[in-house]
Amino acid sequence: MSTRRVTLLDAAIQILGERGVRAVTHRAVDAEAGVSAGSTGNYFSTREALFAAIVERFAERERQNFEELAVTVVPTTPAELGRTLGTFVRHGTTRNRTLTLCRCALLVEAANNPGLREQMAVTGAGVSAWFTAWLRLVGSTDPSHHMHVLGNYVTGLTLHQLAVPDPHFDPTDKIVSLLESLVAPPPAHPSAAPAVAGRPGRP
């Protein structure tokens, strides 16, 4: 991807995250990127082409952020995984806030755009696979199901923090508690009734 193309798409992501879908126009991207008028149109002739490229660049940046965190840990317990995901959520609502808001805007737009929806599903598959593998590592007996439960919970925590920021936000304990309940060991089977003391009797 050329440097100019990356610059334009990063500018479009900034606009999308800060001002929403309607604010993303070729002219607005030119202005945000600080380039001459018409530059965005030279790379993306239609708004549809621009949004398809935004999803591609957004997915690349989000994957880089996720891998930056993921390659440093190999969680083996629910608590370890919970702490990792707590960090992931905090980053998503602070230093990567605009990118997270961009994801939210793209998901809403995808509701009425089948092509965009398909792109978003493909880009999310890699992260889902990573979550599933982590859940298997920490002892989940149904990692695919638990991944959806955990993913929906983390998404809810993130959206609430984006909408109603709490300066002391730290979801780690909540995520650890959820993981420990999902990955709890099965209850022990009752042992066989003890034999009656004394000599064995007749049947």
Side-chain angles (χ1 to χ4, degrees):
M1 193 180 293
S2 71
T3 303
R4 173 58 66 90
R5 193 170 188 271
V6 168
T7 298
L8 293 171
L9 292 175
D10 284 346
I13 286 171
Q14 194 76 17
I15 295 169
L16 185 56
E18 293 181 348
R19 289 180 262 164
V21 170
R22 292 186 178 182
V24 180
T25 64
H26 289 73
R27 181 177 296 179
V29 174
D30 288 339
E32 180 71 26
V35 297
S36 57
S39 296
T40 301
N42 290 335
Y43 283 86
F44 315 104
S45 58
T46 65
R47 197 165 188 270
E48 183 177 5
L50 175 59
F51 267 84
I54 288 171
V55 173
E56 178 187 344
R57 175 58 180 162
F58 152 80
E60 179 184 23
R61 284 181 54 180
E62 193 165 70
R63 185 172 58 251
Q64 288 172 349
N65 290 337
F66 186 76
E67 289 178 353
E68 179 184 320
L69 173 66
V71 297
T72 64
V73 295
V74 182
T76 58
T77 67
E80 289 177 355
L81 178 53
R83 287 192 290 271
T84 299
L85 294 179
T87 300
F88 180 69
V89 174
R90 287 198 308 276
H91 286 178
T93 56
T94 52
R95 69 185 194 185
N96 299 325
R97 186 175 188 274
T98 298
L99 194 65
T100 304
L101 287 168
C102 177
R103 170 156 42 93
C104 296
L106 287 170
L107 287 170
V108 171
E109 183 72 4
N112 298 307
N113 186 324
L116 195 59
R117 183 162 61 246
E118 184 176 344
Q119 269 191 287
M120 292 295 290
V122 170
T123 61
V127 173
S128 295
W130 212 315
F131 274 126
T132 302
W134 271 348
L135 283 162
R136 191 175 290 112
L137 281 175
V138 303
S140 170
T141 57
D142 192 352
S144 295
H145 173 66
H146 291 163
M147 184 274 295
H148 289 293
V149 174
L150 180 63
N152 288 335
Y153 184 65
V154 166
T155 297
L157 288 172
T158 300
L159 287 174
H160 190 272
Q161 175 62 12
L162 290 172
V164 188
D166 175 359
H168 307 294
F169 177 65
D170 185 352
T172 302
D173 289 345
K174 294 183 177 68
I175 296 173
V176 169
S177 294
L178 174 62
L179 279 165
E180 288 178 339
S181 68
L182 291 174
V183 188
H189 292 293
S191 57
V196 176
R199 290 182 298 174
R202 288 180 298 176

